[in-house]
Amino acid sequence: MSSNITITQTKSSRLANLDFHNISFGKTFSDHMFVADYDKGQWMNPRIVPFESFLIHPSAMSLHYGQAIFEGMKASKNKDGKACLFRPEKHAHRINESARRMSMPEIPEALFLSGLRELVALDSGWIPPQEGSALYIRPFMFATDGSFGVRPSEKYTFIIFTGPVGPYYSEPVKLKAETTYVRAVPGGTGEAKAAGNYAGALLPTELAKKEGFDQVMWLDGHEFKYVQEVGTMNIFFVIDGKVVTPATDGAILKGITRATILEVLKDKGVAVEERKLDVHELIDAHKNGLLQEAWGAGTAAVISPIASITFKDYVITLPSADTFAIGNEMKDYINGLRSGRVADTHGWVEVVN
Ligand SMILES: *Cc1c(COP(=O)(O)O)cnc(C)c1O
């Protein structure tokens, strides 16, 4: 572990106030955060400090021109009570892909990983014990130059904070196939985990909710017929026994859960197809009784089952989510890897010491 990280421990831990069975989602933060600054072409002053607010220049470029990227990952406890990370190098790699797209500096993987490990080790008491719950980890980087000239910032801050989350029991969701707004187009920023992608998705999602849907299923921005993602997750279907997910085309975020599921299914000899998927093909499969499963896949919920998809006037109703043999198996498998119940034959789980 890198020893150049200075650690200032909190004098008043909030851990004793935490009730693991009653965690308010997204509003509970652990005691510490990791911070590093970038200036004059270098990362400097890596440190762990108490979780707290900080000052920011009103003209910080991230606030105006949107150089802000993030990651989402989770730490869990294995059966020996040890803190575990899942494929952390994949996240270290992906934040740098996002950084390149947004003209931000790369974070050396060793800096990302040592900051992450030290932080999770220090706040491991905040990892909820129950399988399916986790310590959510939010690494992010943003531009801090105080200047309103449009150009890439020269100064950045990289932070990792964490917060415990309870298990997700996501009810099957009703989707609106979005035919007015787009999330991303090839050549745009959809492959980057960039803050602005999320802002642009809020309005269509709010409008869909007003119409009684839970989430939006994104379609391509040219013909509004090729399936991209669901909300902020990748999307999978089982059609006549084959697993189908849209191929990454520059507009789809390359999910680590998506990649994991594809590898696990290929290992098991299950037929998987990464390709263009026309929503009319889903409608035909549904009419012929061949559409068996549909679910979202992402770090937070792992698998989020889909109840229905409405494309214009046509409603595709999925079978009951408890019949989703492959989706449920993938959720059980990934949660089992994280808790140590399933043998980690791929070397995906890293124990933090
Ligand atoms: C983060 C994200 C995902 C899921 O990625 P994971 O690495 O599996 O968590 C999918 N789509 C979008 C748009 C995302 O931002």
Side-chain angles (χ1 to χ4, degrees):
M1 257 181 217
S2 155
S3 52
N4 61 349
I5 299 174
T6 59
I7 299 180
T8 309
Q9 291 214 33
T10 179
K11 292 194 183 72
S12 50
S13 171
R14 290 172 279 105
L15 185 54
N17 306 336
L18 177 65
D19 171 5
F20 278 125
H21 298 282
N22 196 359
I23 306 171
S24 85
F25 180 80
K27 292 182 185 166
T28 310
F29 301 95
S30 317
D31 280 333
H32 300 94
M33 60 184 184
F34 173 80
V35 186
D37 301 313
Y38 181 91
D39 191 13
K40 301 190 174 70
Q42 336 202 30
W43 286 101
M44 61 191 78
N45 196 11
R47 58 205 186 269
I48 288 175
V49 295
F51 181 87
E52 63 195 357
S53 301
F54 48 82
L55 289 172
I56 188 160
H57 194 285
S59 197
M61 294 181 81
S62 52
L63 301 178
H64 303 264
Y65 308 130
Q67 281 184 297
I69 57 173
F70 67 97
E71 274 299 316
M73 39 196 312
K74 294 193 300 197
S76 50
K77 279 216 164 133
N78 69 11
K79 20 183 211 307
D80 309 324
K82 292 243 166 72
C84 293
L85 296 167
F86 189 73
R87 311 190 82 177
E89 5 22 76
K90 287 260 176 204
H91 292 274
H93 181 79
R94 187 170 66 188
I95 200 168
N96 285 330
E97 291 188 324
S98 300
R100 282 192 290 275
R101 180 63 184 86
M102 306 311 284
S103 291
M104 299 168 79
E106 293 185 27
I107 301 159
E109 289 195 13
L111 177 70
F112 181 102
L113 293 171
S114 59
L116 175 69
R117 289 171 185 140
E118 293 269 4
L119 181 68
V120 169
L122 182 62
D123 280 341
S124 61
W126 288 81
I127 305 174
Q130 318 94 286
E131 182 174 308
S133 52
L135 186 67
Y136 187 78
I137 304 171
R138 171 52 58 84
F140 63 111
M141 194 215 308
F142 56 98
T144 57
D145 256 11
S147 164
F148 50 79
V150 180
R151 56 168 172 77
S153 177
E154 284 165 8
K155 295 187 185 127
Y156 297 85
T157 297
F158 172 58
I159 297 181
I160 309 175
F161 68 66
T162 71
V165 290
Y168 282 82
Y169 298 111
S170 50
E171 289 290 310
V173 287
K174 293 198 276 270
L175 305 184
K176 176 188 178 187
E178 179 58 60
T179 52
T180 303
Y181 298 98
V182 290
R183 190 192 85 89
V185 292
T189 59
E191 254 186 15
K193 238 174 148 62
N197 292 340
Y198 279 66
L202 293 174
L203 173 68
T205 306
E206 286 309 302
L207 293 174
K209 284 184 179 167
K210 279 195 188 130
E211 293 176 61
F213 300 101
D214 301 302
Q215 265 299 344
V216 162
M217 182 175 83
W218 301 107
L219 299 174
D220 76 281
H222 297 295
E223 297 172 78
F224 287 100
K225 65 179 195 186
Y226 294 107
V227 177
Q228 291 183 331
E229 303 199 46
V230 48
T232 59
M233 304 178 94
N234 294 116
I235 195 163
F236 283 78
F237 298 91
V238 179
I239 305 172
D240 197 16
K242 287 196 202 91
V243 177
V244 184
T245 192
T248 54
D249 60 351
I252 291 172
L253 196 289
K254 292 178 178 166
I256 293 163
T257 314
R258 176 186 182 279
T260 299
I261 289 168
L262 289 173
E263 272 184 72
V264 172
L265 291 175
K266 283 176 194 163
D267 286 353
K268 289 169 63 85
V270 176
V272 295
E273 296 178 354
E274 288 177 75
R275 59 173 171 82
K276 277 195 150 183
L277 178 59
D278 188 326
V279 65
H280 298 95
E281 178 186 337
L282 294 178
I283 291 172
D284 288 344
H286 174 247
K287 283 183 178 158
N288 297 326
L290 299 175
L291 185 60
Q292 293 150 326
E293 305 184 22
W295 26 274
T299 294
V302 188
I303 299 293
S304 168
I306 295 167
S308 67
I309 302 169
T310 302
F311 176 70
K312 297 177 182 165
D313 294 332
Y314 191 86
V315 184
I316 300 171
T317 307
L318 273 295
S320 157
D322 42 71
T323 69
F324 290 0
I326 297 177
N328 291 327
E329 187 188 338
M330 289 301 105
K331 176 158 186 165
D332 188 67
Y333 188 89
I334 292 175
N335 280 335
L337 278 175
R338 287 180 167 281
S339 68
R341 177 170 52 75
V342 170
D344 175 27
T345 53
H346 297 86
W348 286 337
V349 179
E350 179 187 310
V351 175
V352 179
N353 288 306

